[in-house]
Amino acid sequence: MVCSDDKNVSSMCQRFPVPSFQMKLFFFVLCYKICVYIYIFFSINKVCVFQSLDYDSSENQLFLEEERRMSYLGFRCLEISRWVICGLIGFLTGLIACCIDIAVEKLAGVKYFVVKQNIEKFTEVGGLSISLILWAVLNSSLVMVGAITVAFIEPIAAGSGIPQIKCYLNGVKIPRVVRLKTLVVKVFGVICSVAGGLAVGKEGPMIHSGAVVAAGVSQGRSTSLKKDFKIFEYFRRDTEKRDFVSAGAAAGVSAAFGAPVGGVLFSLEEGASFWNQMLTWRIFFASMISTFTLNFFLSIYNNKPGDLSSPGLINFGRFESDSVAYNFYEIPLFIVMGAIGGLLGALFNKLNYWLTIFRIRYVHRPCLQVMEAMLVAAVTATVSFSMIYFSNDCQPLGPDQSEDYQLQLFCADGEYNSMATTFFNTPERSVRSLFHNPPGSYNPGTLGMFTVTYFFLACWTYGLAVSAGVFIPSLLIGAAWGRLFGILLPTVTIWADPGKYALIGAAAQLGGIVRMTLSLTVIMVEATGNVTYGLPIMLVLMTAKIVGDYFVEGLYDIHIKLQSVPFLHWEAPATSHWLTAREVMGAPVICFNRLEKVGTIVDILSNTSTNHNGFPVVVPVAPGKICGLILRSQLIVLLKHKVFVELARSRLTQRKLQLKDFRDAYPRFPPIQSIHVSQDERDCMMDLSEFMNPTPYTVPQETSLPRVFKLFRALGLRHLVVVDHDNRVVGLVTRKDLARYHLGKHGLEELQLAQT
Amino acid sequence: MVCSDDKNVSSMCQRFPVPSFQMKLFFFVLCYKICVYIYIFFSINKVCVFQSLDYDSSENQLFLEEERRMSYLGFRCLEISRWVICGLIGFLTGLIACCIDIAVEKLAGVKYFVVKQNIEKFTEVGGLSISLILWAVLNSSLVMVGAITVAFIEPIAAGSGIPQIKCYLNGVKIPRVVRLKTLVVKVFGVICSVAGGLAVGKEGPMIHSGAVVAAGVSQGRSTSLKKDFKIFEYFRRDTEKRDFVSAGAAAGVSAAFGAPVGGVLFSLEEGASFWNQMLTWRIFFASMISTFTLNFFLSIYNNKPGDLSSPGLINFGRFESDSVAYNFYEIPLFIVMGAIGGLLGALFNKLNYWLTIFRIRYVHRPCLQVMEAMLVAAVTATVSFSMIYFSNDCQPLGPDQSEDYQLQLFCADGEYNSMATTFFNTPERSVRSLFHNPPGSYNPGTLGMFTVTYFFLACWTYGLAVSAGVFIPSLLIGAAWGRLFGILLPTVTIWADPGKYALIGAAAQLGGIVRMTLSLTVIMVEATGNVTYGLPIMLVLMTAKIVGDYFVEGLYDIHIKLQSVPFLHWEAPATSHWLTAREVMGAPVICFNRLEKVGTIVDILSNTSTNHNGFPVVVPVAPGKICGLILRSQLIVLLKHKVFVELARSRLTQRKLQLKDFRDAYPRFPPIQSIHVSQDERDCMMDLSEFMNPTPYTVPQETSLPRVFKLFRALGLRHLVVVDHDNRVVGLVTRKDLARYHLGKHGLEELQLAQT
């Protein structure tokens, strides 16, 4: 049955408010953009057909009956289970972080030891090219293993995973993003890529790992392992799962940076829209447990049980806690550094954007991806080696030098090669050296060369088919140019510490690339363990964001957009008040009767051209009048269990369908093709009243887009029914309908999006 | 016109899930509670008739036309104005904090100097009772001035103002809470009460002050001063104002504790429900500017321009930043301290609850209130004096003692009276002494006595008709027993520092009283300037909250409840799924026709027995079918401007009513009684179509209470129309209808609330 409506969208394009003097430029840019988007859309459409998640519970009769049956004590037990799950999430995330940390340290330690031995051997006798080859081969083989796992087994595990988690929390279901297999590949991949010497960090993937842990633990079963523990069944729906996934992401941040408050803020800033106090406290709890677990096990591993100095994967080291650490007069300098960070960040993002388009076009086959990753690994080793080789920045070995892999190379005895402290090291250690090595440890030339080369290496690396994060490379680039900035300043006594400028530069660069502010401030403050630098860090991050946003979006947003994900931002575009629900909605809508023929349902569900996921249910006597909303997944479960009116009558003993049956099928509902319905059964009827959501949210046709958007976003809806004055269904608004409007530089624009 | 509906609520009470074995107890408690609430309701009903605020914009034709006319550049300008306003809010809040700080320091300095001189004079010659009288008189007169201002000029300025701001952000309009007069009285009052030696802090009132500044600045005018700057007119509505008020509250916290991130989190944890990234950044900006301004001016005042050591009103002093500051084995101890804090906090709250009921009953006349305040001031001075007098805890003057008002009293030369460092001092300084004085500065007896007396003094003081906060007294009590706890522990080397335990105790006590977790953690961390203690503080706050919540609610919630404010919590009570919109809504609803007679409108608005604020507008041809929602305030503006159909026809030149007319009248719309409508005009018609909100949110009657609640809370609604299947109005849900359901210890309970 089809509820038709006269929908007039043809005149829409004419209403764009175009400044007339920019007409030509505008059309040129528009055409170009449309071409790019259409092209991207078609080129990746085959892999990315995104589903939406439903963060609004379907309050059907079954659900309400269960809720009403439950006693106050029952709700208390549920509440306690939520806390227990959050504790488990934190514990497991911390444990994973611990494993990653130890594995990377061990592997990298062995690698650097071997290479160092080799270099020392050949420095004397000549023939350092053998060392170079050894280094490059070691790097490439490690990266190859990681890249093969990712590219062939689970491509979704590539990258940092933060864009994917952002999408998940926003309500977009990225296929396979929270599966156990993804977690295993991610963890294994990140160990290989970091140990393989790529310009990557192990912090971003922790966030993804935490989210996967959360999605797994909270469901009390593993579909991959076919193991159901029969616990936490109540939480088997999108709303509850999302809450736990935000806790997992927070726990990941917390373990990565030792920043529990920063983790909570990350989850909130990047994900959740509805702020709920109780949920926030649970997230906070998970974060605390996570950093605590990591610290506990690392302290045991380091033979210093009870020591609290390693709350995170990255440790910025101790900054002297001096309340006059900086001066009011330095604030303009910080703002300048923020602006530089914003500019460099925008450049990074733009380069990476072009590179990603290139990759989507030409490097989409797994074996090509593995080869590219190996190439990058080899080039990284070669560039690093040449930089070290041609550098003549020798520094005397101080008494308190604690570098693990110092290279003497061609320096005199009692001296070491300064370039090697940044290149011949894991990125985390390099960051720490830049922050804390005493003034004079680096020549300006060394820092400049390092910044430039590492900038391009990191930019090339992000987006490879390896699992790796961009936080640490950004910090490292920023720390290098920040320290350079500090050195080049006229040396007034109070400004003497270049480590401070390295910290500010690191914040500026990271802010310029990822464009977070509040959460990043807290993360940086927690990672330095010092509140004194809070204010400059805030200023720098805000400046970097403002400057960067002028040119191009943040790195994560770019990647989300490149995958044409229907991502909902915080608010509808400002100039969209002239659009109403009538123009935005999808129409005509396929509706079902409250008592519907099985054949009709099967036919509609099997129709691949529409592929709808939600169907308004209407009253048969007053055509088109809405009385509920039913989801594809619910219909599939009903068909699978053959809940037909005729069968119920004939077989009186048949078990009544329960909420448990829906929960057992969640979240991997079988496709309609796998359900066999005989010709006789096609003539049966299905009564949807008990299973549909009888009170879906509706809006009148005249509602403006911002109002629709607000309702949709605040409640995390998947379908919003548009009705006329008689409560008849005239359209259906989905995520895709709202996400395609976008405020470009020339007013409101419409995007091409992957199908939802 | 009345849309009637059969509403069946008579059977509601029978459905409460009562455990049968507790029947008698339950009824006893219920009767008692109902008596208390009804009594409170009637006793304070005359002053507290709370209006609701409307955080959902009325998208009527005028509004939509304005939005559609506005260009992209226009929206950019608005966005920039928002940032400018937030900057101004931060600046002014910082300035006010600076004034308060300097005034209190000066006044208290003079007072303590005079008293100290006097005591020193009389210690030798005997007759210290004269010193006592001098002290008590000085205190009482300062407090008297403050109390008179508050009690006679602006009673709403009493207390910390945090409960009021929580209500405001929740959507309840407390009369006069954000007026200029309130601000002036608040600032003056807090100076008097802190200088008057009461057991109060100046931090809580800063939050209220920030909120008032925000409400004033964002409107671009002062109604009290009758001055309209003709700027920021766009922001003259509840939604925008709320956003700025949250920024103001955050700026207040930021200035009070030097905690910009804590300020943002306070605003979010205590207030906002919908998390918007851009808004959060603006709030953050306001907070930064606020602490910055305060620091800047204080550094100039202290003749140390450029010094960054005083970012807040309270300064916890520098804790040594040692990463092994505490040990894993101490964590159980911290949890025990958290539990003690929770218990003591619950005791404090319960005592204060009884005291407040007593005050509502017997101390409601202003002169009585002033006398009580003076009595408390005199008693505080007497108790302090006796404690100091009878204490024989003499400590040697160390070389680095920086106490300003040290009393020697009966101690030997080169020694000072240890009790006097806590009692003969402003509370802020006492807290700092407890945190930082070296081990051995206090006898256990001194600390014990101090804790007990200060506990009762602070409890008695909170709720007086003076403007004062509870943060600092709580910290002080906690610091005292925390230090005592630290001293009484078996003295192992690593545990030697009692200052650490004072900090943990302070956190525990404050958490036990106010029950904040995330924001308080961050505030404490920022105030100590040291992240090391983050984890123990979190643990302690969470334990204190869990333990405290078992007995009684937080102090602010108690005061909100005692005023029977229709406060909406985060979620509907868990066991309320059996209630539907039909049972919750108010019915019958008074509706207007789209074209309505002026006389009818005037009569309905004048009806004081109903006093409704929102009216559904219905289509005349299909009776009861909803087509919009109009507010009392809008109707009043229409009546005032005589927007009648007949007049518009006769006077063609008449200016069309614009959004500006509504904004000019906001927020103090005149009462209906002040609007004169002649007998002829009563027969005219009014066309509401242009002014009503044509797309109000509606729900069907069968919607469950949690679902209604979620919609209402997430969107900050004031009215939610309940419709039947034909879109006919059958009821109206307001804040009061939702707020009265409450999860007590015996299942769902219904509260008596003040009228909305």
Side-chain angles (χ1 to χ4, degrees):
Chain A
M1 185 185 153
V2 172
C3 316
S4 70
D5 179 61
D6 52 335
K7 190 187 170 193
N8 184 0
V9 288
S10 62
S11 65
M12 214 147 72
C13 293
Q14 298 153 17
R15 294 204 221 159
F16 286 137
V18 181
S20 58
F21 63 90
Q22 289 183 326
M23 196 72 86
K24 279 187 182 170
L25 178 68
F26 169 71
F27 275 111
F28 175 75
V29 172
L30 196 69
C31 291
Y32 165 75
K33 285 209 169 181
I34 289 174
C35 291
V36 168
Y37 286 126
I38 289 177
Y39 148 67
I40 292 166
F41 174 65
F42 282 108
S43 57
I44 61 170
N45 200 14
K46 56 188 177 300
V47 284
C48 303
V49 178
F50 301 110
Q51 302 277 318
S52 277
L53 294 163
D54 208 338
Y55 291 151
D56 178 47
S57 303
S58 173
E59 289 209 338
N60 57 21
Q61 272 189 40
L62 293 180
F63 177 78
L64 283 177
E65 273 165 23
E66 190 192 79
E67 294 282 311
R68 286 168 191 167
R69 256 200 319 273
M70 210 183 290
S71 67
Y72 177 54
L73 207 70
F75 282 106
R76 286 297 271 240
C77 287
L78 275 184
E79 191 59 29
I80 293 170
S81 335
R82 288 200 184 97
W83 283 91
V84 170
I85 294 173
C86 282
L88 274 175
I89 292 170
F91 179 76
L92 291 175
T93 309
L95 216 57
I96 289 174
C98 186
C99 296
I100 293 180
D101 197 51
I102 294 175
V104 167
E105 284 295 310
K106 283 279 168 210
L107 260 177
V110 169
K111 188 190 81 178
Y112 284 119
F113 180 76
V114 169
V115 176
K116 192 181 170 184
Q117 295 285 80
N118 193 284
I119 289 179
E120 276 166 4
K121 188 170 128 200
F122 284 104
T123 311
E124 301 292 313
V125 299
L128 271 173
S129 50
I130 295 170
S131 305
L132 166 61
I133 291 169
L134 174 73
W135 191 2
V137 166
L138 277 178
N139 273 7
S140 295
S141 25
L142 277 169
V143 169
M144 186 185 70
V145 177
I148 286 176
T149 335
V150 170
F152 287 95
I153 302 182
E154 194 52 277
I156 200 79
S160 73
I162 296 180
Q164 285 85 341
I165 297 305
K166 270 184 83 163
C167 290
Y168 185 92
L169 293 178
N170 194 267
V172 185
K173 189 172 187 171
I174 313 263
R176 303 186 312 285
V177 76
V178 288
R179 293 212 183 158
L180 182 62
K181 199 168 90 180
T182 311
L183 175 65
V184 174
V185 171
K186 189 119 215 166
V187 170
F188 183 76
V190 79
I191 294 173
C192 292
S193 49
V194 177
L198 288 180
V200 297
K202 55 191 188 294
E203 280 67 17
M206 268 319 298
I207 297 161
H208 192 169
S209 306
V212 181
V213 166
V217 170
S218 66
Q219 304 298 296
R221 68 173 167 196
S222 162
T223 326
S224 309
L225 299 180
K226 297 198 174 38
K227 178 87 191 147
D228 191 339
F229 295 97
K230 305 275 178 200
I231 45 171
F232 308 143
E233 289 173 332
Y234 185 86
F235 305 126
R236 292 180 189 172
R237 49 188 160 124
D238 285 344
T239 327
E240 298 279 353
K241 200 168 163 184
R242 171 201 53 178
D243 289 354
F244 291 114
V245 168
S246 19
V253 176
S254 174
F257 300 96
V261 179
V264 175
L265 288 177
F266 174 86
S267 264
L268 288 167
E269 192 170 345
E270 295 299 313
S273 64
F274 184 75
W275 167 280
N276 181 318
Q277 217 178 18
M278 283 310 289
L279 171 64
T280 315
W281 289 336
R282 281 200 302 272
I283 297 181
F284 191 32
F285 180 68
S287 302
M288 272 168 54
I289 297 285
S290 164
T291 176
F292 205 76
T293 309
L294 174 66
N295 202 337
F296 184 75
F297 285 106
L298 278 188
S299 75
I300 288 177
Y301 173 78
N302 294 330
N303 274 326
K304 287 184 272 182
D307 179 48
L308 292 148
S309 57
S310 44
L313 289 184
I314 173 127
N315 188 344
F316 285 179
R318 292 216 17 238
F319 279 83
E320 46 173 324
S321 172
D322 191 352
S323 68
V324 285
Y326 64 97
N327 200 291
F328 270 110
Y329 315 123
E330 288 181 87
I331 285 171
L333 286 177
F334 296 151
I335 291 176
V336 170
M337 289 181 78
I340 297 176
L343 282 173
L344 286 180
L347 179 65
F348 187 99
N349 293 358
K350 200 74 198 174
L351 289 178
N352 196 270
Y353 170 76
W354 287 327
L355 188 64
T356 309
I357 291 184
F358 176 85
R359 280 194 180 126
I360 291 171
R361 181 83 185 89
Y362 298 105
V363 199
H364 48 78
R365 280 166 54 198
C367 48
L368 279 177
Q369 291 176 336
V370 172
M371 281 165 65
E372 195 199 1
M374 288 171 65
L375 176 68
V376 175
V379 168
T380 308
T382 314
V383 169
S384 308
F385 192 86
S386 334
M387 298 294 284
I388 296 171
Y389 188 84
F390 292 113
S391 155
N392 45 13
D393 182 6
C394 291
Q395 301 286 347
L397 273 170
D400 58 345
Q401 290 293 334
S402 57
E403 303 296 329
D404 283 342
Y405 318 115
Q406 259 161 3
L407 281 184
Q408 185 183 347
L409 220 64
F410 304 122
C411 293
D413 283 347
E415 289 193 333
Y416 68 95
N417 185 308
S418 174
M419 188 65 101
T421 55
T422 48
F423 269 124
F424 194 68
N425 224 331
T426 57
E428 282 87 356
R429 284 170 190 268
S430 309
V431 171
R432 213 150 56 220
S433 313
L434 285 168
F435 284 170
H436 296 294
N437 278 4
S441 304
Y442 298 93
N443 271 347
T446 309
L447 289 173
M449 288 297 290
F450 176 76
T451 304
V452 174
T453 43
Y454 209 79
F455 183 90
F456 289 107
L457 281 176
C459 190
W460 190 10
T461 309
Y462 190 78
L464 283 182
V466 294
S467 99
V470 76
F471 269 74
I472 300 299
S474 311
L475 287 174
L476 192 46
I477 299 166
W481 67 253
R483 201 175 168 111
L484 181 64
F485 189 94
I487 294 174
L488 296 183
L489 277 180
T491 319
V492 184
T493 324
I494 200 163
W495 297 348
D497 180 23
K500 176 173 69 184
Y501 284 89
L503 176 67
I504 301 293
Q509 183 66 47
L510 185 53
I513 290 175
V514 301
R515 309 285 162 77
M516 289 147 50
T517 55
L518 187 61
S519 54
L520 200 51
T521 306
V522 178
I523 289 174
M524 295 287 289
V525 166
E526 287 187 294
T528 51
N530 193 328
V531 182
T532 322
Y533 292 107
L535 191 73
I537 289 175
M538 282 176 219
L539 276 175
V540 152
L541 286 177
M542 213 162 251
T543 319
K545 183 177 165 60
I546 292 168
V547 172
D549 276 350
Y550 183 80
F551 297 100
V552 62
E553 287 174 287
L555 188 62
Y556 300 138
D557 292 317
I558 287 178
H559 280 257
I560 287 173
K561 214 181 214 172
L562 276 176
Q563 304 208 329
S564 57
V565 175
F567 190 85
L568 289 188
H569 289 277
W570 294 93
E571 278 174 342
T575 56
S576 61
H577 270 98
W578 55 270
L579 282 171
T580 65
R582 187 188 291 119
E583 288 145 321
V584 166
M585 70 192 184
V589 185
I590 297 165
C591 302
F592 288 125
N593 281 315
R594 196 198 278 260
L595 206 69
E596 187 60 88
K597 237 182 97 189
V598 173
T600 319
I601 295 179
V602 172
D603 288 345
I604 288 173
L605 291 188
S606 312
N607 184 344
T608 48
S609 72
T610 56
N611 199 25
H612 291 312
N613 281 299
F615 305 90
V617 181
V618 294
V619 189
V621 285
K625 200 160 275 194
I626 187 166
C627 68
L629 181 80
I630 196 150
L631 302 176
R632 168 184 287 263
S633 58
Q634 294 173 323
L635 288 172
I636 292 213
V637 175
L638 294 182
L639 286 172
K640 199 175 141 202
H641 288 85
K642 308 217 180 292
V643 188
F644 307 146
V645 178
E646 287 77 5
L647 291 183
R649 279 186 204 140
S650 60
R651 284 182 285 163
L652 282 171
T653 54
Q654 200 194 18
R655 186 175 73 87
K656 199 168 159 281
L657 205 63
Q658 286 179 325
L659 217 48
K660 190 179 173 310
D661 299 300
F662 292 93
R663 285 181 182 149
D664 283 345
Y666 176 84
R668 303 193 199 169
F669 297 100
I672 181 71
Q673 289 76 16
S674 73
I675 289 167
H676 178 71
V677 177
S678 71
Q679 204 56 40
D680 286 351
E681 285 170 341
R682 284 182 64 89
D683 291 329
C684 291
M685 301 298 279
M686 253 164 73
D687 183 3
L688 306 179
S689 356
E690 212 177 337
F691 309 104
M692 70 187 187
N693 179 1
T695 54
Y697 295 112
T698 59
V699 285
Q701 306 177 69
E702 299 81 27
T703 317
S704 69
L705 175 60
R707 202 171 169 82
V708 172
F709 195 97
K710 197 179 161 196
L711 182 68
F712 205 91
R713 183 79 166 92
L715 300 178
L717 301 183
R718 184 173 181 186
H719 302 100
L720 179 60
V721 184
V722 183
V723 295
D724 66 6
H725 283 294
D726 293 321
N727 242 348
R728 281 193 304 248
V729 178
V730 294
L732 196 65
V733 175
T734 60
R735 164 174 293 272
K736 186 189 59 183
D737 299 320
L738 297 177
R740 66 193 152 129
Y741 294 100
H742 164 85
L743 198 62
K745 286 214 169 119
H746 310 277
L748 207 60
E749 292 168 4
E750 247 185 289
L751 296 180
Q752 293 288 339
L753 293 172
Q755 279 183 302
T756 33
Chain B
M1 186 186 151
V2 172
C3 316
S4 70
D5 180 61
D6 52 336
K7 189 189 173 196
N8 184 0
V9 286
S10 62
S11 65
M12 214 147 71
C13 294
Q14 299 154 17
R15 292 203 222 159
F16 286 136
V18 182
S20 60
F21 63 92
Q22 289 183 326
M23 196 73 85
K24 281 187 182 172
L25 180 68
F26 169 70
F27 275 111
F28 174 75
V29 172
L30 196 69
C31 291
Y32 165 75
K33 285 209 169 179
I34 288 175
C35 290
V36 168
Y37 286 126
I38 288 178
Y39 148 66
I40 293 166
F41 173 64
F42 282 108
S43 58
I44 62 170
N45 200 14
K46 55 189 178 298
V47 284
C48 304
V49 177
F50 301 110
Q51 302 277 319
S52 277
L53 294 163
D54 208 338
Y55 291 151
D56 179 48
S57 304
S58 172
E59 289 209 337
N60 56 21
Q61 272 191 40
L62 293 181
F63 177 78
L64 284 176
E65 274 166 23
E66 191 193 78
E67 294 283 309
R68 285 168 192 169
R69 257 201 318 271
M70 209 184 290
S71 68
Y72 178 54
L73 208 69
F75 282 106
R76 284 299 271 242
C77 286
L78 275 185
E79 192 58 29
I80 293 170
S81 335
R82 287 200 185 95
W83 283 91
V84 170
I85 293 174
C86 282
L88 274 175
I89 292 170
F91 179 75
L92 291 176
T93 308
L95 216 56
I96 288 174
C98 187
C99 295
I100 292 180
D101 196 51
I102 294 175
V104 167
E105 284 295 311
K106 283 279 169 212
L107 260 178
V110 169
K111 188 189 81 176
Y112 285 118
F113 181 75
V114 170
V115 175
K116 190 180 169 183
Q117 294 285 79
N118 193 282
I119 290 178
E120 275 166 5
K121 190 169 127 201
F122 284 105
T123 311
E124 301 291 316
V125 300
L128 272 174
S129 50
I130 294 170
S131 307
L132 165 62
I133 291 169
L134 175 74
W135 191 1
V137 166
L138 277 179
N139 271 9
S140 294
S141 26
L142 278 169
V143 169
M144 188 184 70
V145 177
I148 285 176
T149 336
V150 170
F152 287 94
I153 302 181
E154 193 53 277
I156 200 77
S160 73
I162 296 180
Q164 284 86 340
I165 296 305
K166 271 185 83 164
C167 289
Y168 185 92
L169 293 178
N170 194 266
V172 184
K173 189 173 188 171
I174 314 262
R176 303 187 312 286
V177 76
V178 288
R179 293 212 182 157
L180 183 61
K181 199 167 91 180
T182 311
L183 175 65
V184 174
V185 171
K186 189 119 215 165
V187 170
F188 184 75
V190 79
I191 294 172
C192 291
S193 49
V194 177
L198 288 178
V200 297
K202 55 192 189 294
E203 281 67 18
M206 269 318 300
I207 297 161
H208 192 170
S209 307
V212 181
V213 167
V217 170
S218 66
Q219 304 298 297
R221 69 172 166 196
S222 162
T223 325
S224 310
L225 301 179
K226 298 199 173 38
K227 178 87 193 147
D228 191 340
F229 295 96
K230 307 272 177 203
I231 45 170
F232 307 145
E233 289 174 331
Y234 185 85
F235 304 126
R236 294 180 189 172
R237 49 189 161 124
D238 285 344
T239 328
E240 298 279 353
K241 202 167 162 185
R242 172 200 52 178
D243 289 354
F244 291 114
V245 168
S246 18
V253 175
S254 173
F257 300 96
V261 178
V264 176
L265 287 177
F266 174 86
S267 265
L268 288 167
E269 193 171 345
E270 297 298 314
S273 63
F274 185 72
W275 166 279
N276 181 318
Q277 217 178 18
M278 283 311 288
L279 170 64
T280 314
W281 289 336
R282 282 200 302 270
I283 296 181
F284 191 31
F285 180 68
S287 300
M288 272 168 54
I289 298 286
S290 165
T291 177
F292 204 76
T293 309
L294 174 67
N295 202 336
F296 184 75
F297 285 106
L298 279 189
S299 76
I300 289 177
Y301 173 78
N302 294 329
N303 274 326
K304 287 183 272 182
D307 178 47
L308 291 148
S309 58
S310 44
L313 289 184
I314 173 128
N315 188 343
F316 285 179
R318 293 220 12 242
F319 280 82
E320 45 173 327
S321 173
D322 191 352
S323 69
V324 284
Y326 65 97
N327 201 291
F328 269 110
Y329 315 124
E330 287 181 88
I331 284 171
L333 286 177
F334 296 150
I335 291 176
V336 169
M337 289 182 78
I340 297 176
L343 281 174
L344 287 180
L347 179 65
F348 187 99
N349 293 359
K350 201 73 199 175
L351 289 178
N352 196 268
Y353 171 74
W354 288 326
L355 189 63
T356 310
I357 291 184
F358 176 85
R359 280 191 181 129
I360 291 172
R361 180 87 186 87
Y362 298 106
V363 200
H364 48 79
R365 280 166 56 198
C367 47
L368 280 177
Q369 291 176 337
V370 172
M371 281 165 65
E372 196 201 0
M374 288 170 65
L375 177 68
V376 175
V379 169
T380 308
T382 314
V383 169
S384 309
F385 192 84
S386 334
M387 300 292 285
I388 297 171
Y389 188 83
F390 292 113
S391 156
N392 44 15
D393 182 5
C394 291
Q395 301 285 347
L397 273 170
D400 57 344
Q401 290 294 334
S402 57
E403 303 298 327
D404 283 341
Y405 320 114
Q406 259 160 4
L407 281 185
Q408 186 181 348
L409 219 64
F410 305 121
C411 293
D413 284 346
E415 291 194 331
Y416 68 96
N417 186 308
S418 173
M419 187 66 101
T421 53
T422 48
F423 269 124
F424 195 70
N425 224 332
T426 57
E428 281 86 357
R429 284 169 191 268
S430 309
V431 171
R432 213 150 56 220
S433 313
L434 285 168
F435 284 169
H436 295 293
N437 278 5
S441 304
Y442 298 93
N443 272 346
T446 309
L447 290 173
M449 288 297 291
F450 176 76
T451 306
V452 174
T453 43
Y454 209 80
F455 183 89
F456 288 107
L457 281 177
C459 190
W460 190 11
T461 310
Y462 190 77
L464 283 182
V466 294
S467 100
V470 76
F471 268 73
I472 300 300
S474 310
L475 287 174
L476 191 47
I477 298 166
W481 67 253
R483 200 173 170 113
L484 181 63
F485 189 94
I487 293 175
L488 296 182
L489 278 180
T491 320
V492 184
T493 326
I494 199 162
W495 297 351
D497 180 23
K500 175 173 69 183
Y501 283 89
L503 176 67
I504 301 293
Q509 183 67 47
L510 184 52
I513 290 175
V514 301
R515 309 286 163 76
M516 289 147 51
T517 56
L518 188 61
S519 54
L520 200 51
T521 306
V522 178
I523 288 174
M524 296 287 289
V525 165
E526 287 186 294
T528 51
N530 192 328
V531 181
T532 322
Y533 292 107
L535 191 73
I537 288 174
M538 282 174 218
L539 277 175
V540 152
L541 287 177
M542 213 162 253
T543 319
K545 183 176 165 61
I546 292 169
V547 172
D549 277 350
Y550 182 79
F551 297 101
V552 63
E553 288 174 287
L555 189 61
Y556 301 137
D557 292 317
I558 286 178
H559 279 257
I560 288 172
K561 214 183 215 173
L562 277 176
Q563 304 207 327
S564 56
V565 175
F567 191 86
L568 289 188
H569 289 277
W570 295 93
E571 278 175 342
T575 56
S576 61
H577 270 98
W578 53 271
L579 282 171
T580 64
R582 188 188 290 119
E583 288 146 320
V584 166
M585 70 191 185
V589 186
I590 298 165
C591 301
F592 289 125
N593 281 313
R594 197 196 277 258
L595 207 68
E596 188 60 89
K597 237 182 96 188
V598 172
T600 318
I601 295 179
V602 172
D603 289 344
I604 288 174
L605 290 188
S606 311
N607 184 345
T608 48
S609 72
T610 55
N611 199 26
H612 291 312
N613 282 298
F615 305 91
V617 181
V618 294
V619 188
V621 286
K625 201 160 272 194
I626 187 165
C627 69
L629 182 80
I630 195 150
L631 302 176
R632 167 183 286 265
S633 57
Q634 294 174 321
L635 288 172
I636 292 214
V637 175
L638 294 183
L639 286 173
K640 197 174 143 202
H641 288 85
K642 307 215 180 294
V643 187
F644 307 146
V645 178
E646 287 77 5
L647 291 183
R649 278 184 205 143
S650 59
R651 283 182 285 163
L652 282 171
T653 53
Q654 200 194 17
R655 184 176 73 86
K656 199 168 160 283
L657 205 62
Q658 284 180 327
L659 217 48
K660 190 179 173 307
D661 300 299
F662 292 93
R663 284 181 183 150
D664 284 344
Y666 176 85
R668 303 192 199 169
F669 296 101
I672 181 72
Q673 288 77 17
S674 72
I675 289 167
H676 178 71
V677 177
S678 71
Q679 204 56 41
D680 285 353
E681 285 170 343
R682 284 182 64 88
D683 292 329
C684 291
M685 301 298 278
M686 252 163 74
D687 184 1
L688 306 180
S689 359
E690 212 176 336
F691 309 103
M692 69 188 188
N693 179 0
T695 54
Y697 295 113
T698 59
V699 286
Q701 306 176 67
E702 299 80 28
T703 317
S704 70
L705 175 60
R707 204 170 168 82
V708 172
F709 195 99
K710 195 178 163 197
L711 182 68
F712 205 91
R713 182 80 167 91
L715 300 178
L717 301 184
R718 185 173 181 186
H719 303 101
L720 180 60
V721 184
V722 182
V723 294
D724 65 6
H725 283 294
D726 292 322
N727 242 348
R728 279 193 304 247
V729 179
V730 293
L732 195 66
V733 175
T734 60
R735 164 174 291 273
K736 187 189 59 181
D737 299 320
L738 298 176
R740 67 193 152 129
Y741 295 100
H742 163 85
L743 199 61
K745 286 212 169 121
H746 309 277
L748 207 60
E749 292 169 4
E750 247 184 287
L751 295 180
Q752 293 287 340
L753 292 172
Q755 278 183 301
T756 34

